[in-house]
Amino acid sequence: MTTLEAPARGRTAVRPTGIERSFGADELIVSKTDRRGVITYANDVFCRVGAYALDKVIGQPHNLIRHPDMPRAVFALLWDTISAGQELFAYINNLAKDGANYWVLAHVTPSFDERGAIVGYHSNRRRPSPGALAQVRPLYTALLEEERRHPTARAAVAASSELLTRLVAERAASYEDYIWSIIGAEEN
């Protein structure tokens, strides 16, 4: 859920508390969705860190954990990339059911059937390093500021996507290269 979207039917809006949560460096948060982004699998770490019972996440849209302070441009890039059959690494700030937030380094991949058609998506997330977050947060803050200048979600995504492209171009050839430069410098 983003700041401009209402919660899905039957869901109440979760308000961020400002409490940041983490998880073990040796733990992975894992989830799978169908093609529409509806959760079909979540591991115990997903549930524990997100403060959800498994039966409350299966069948829900994955944006159930979307933090309102996460730029829409990053999710637009993510969906464009994975729906084209490619993988994406991204730093994501998620929102737990109790309002806590937790940062992840997400690796999202499409899942294919035997004919090569996309049938869903798989995401593995690990705990990001503090140094990586120190690099990503200013970028995401700039994107959010740009998004807030626009009256509609469509305009906000278009403007922040353009800004993302410009800001990343100052540092790397692409968003993927930018993220890999951070991973290489901070996550190893």
Side-chain angles (χ1 to χ4, degrees):
M1 180 172 54
T2 63
T3 51
L4 301 177
E5 294 175 342
R9 240 185 5 215
R11 287 182 14 207
T12 57
V14 175
R15 301 260 185 246
T17 61
I19 296 169
E20 190 162 322
R21 171 176 298 143
S22 190
F23 53 100
D26 61 338
E27 293 184 297
L28 284 178
I29 295 174
V30 180
S31 59
K32 294 180 183 180
T33 70
D34 65 14
R35 290 183 59 202
R36 297 172 299 134
V38 174
I39 299 170
T40 59
Y41 171 82
N43 74 345
D44 60 330
V45 183
F46 179 105
C47 294
R48 180 175 43 80
V49 175
Y52 281 99
L54 181 60
D55 66 338
K56 299 299 182 191
V57 296
I58 300 298
Q60 294 296 315
H62 206 281
N63 70 4
L64 175 77
I65 59 170
R66 184 177 293 178
H67 196 287
D69 289 337
M70 190 60 209
R72 292 170 179 249
V74 175
F75 288 113
L77 176 63
L78 177 122
W79 276 105
D80 287 348
T81 302
I82 63 176
S83 62
Q86 301 168 344
E87 67 182 352
L88 184 78
F89 285 84
Y91 290 94
I92 307 287
N93 188 14
N94 289 321
L95 183 64
K97 181 181 178 185
D98 61 6
N101 72 296
Y102 57 100
W103 281 91
V104 299
L105 171 54
H107 177 213
V108 186
T109 62
S111 300
F112 301 96
D113 67 12
E114 61 281 347
R115 295 182 313 276
I118 295 173
V119 294
Y121 304 99
H122 183 137
S123 180
N124 291 316
R125 291 160 313 257
R126 64 180 177 159
R127 186 178 76 191
S129 72
L133 294 181
Q135 291 187 51
V136 170
R137 282 183 166 132
L139 172 64
Y140 287 8
T141 297
L143 296 175
L144 284 167
E145 288 170 359
E146 181 62 31
E147 289 177 6
R148 291 180 179 131
R149 287 195 262 280
H150 299 275
T152 67
R154 184 179 302 253
V157 171
S160 65
S161 293
E162 182 180 313
L163 180 59
L164 176 62
T165 300
R166 282 196 329 263
L167 292 175
V168 165
E170 295 171 5
R171 301 173 181 139
S174 67
Y175 180 82
E176 179 180 21
D177 289 341
Y178 170 65
I179 294 302
W180 276 109
S181 72
I182 295 172
I183 292 170
E186 301 293 339
E187 302 290 351
N188 295 321

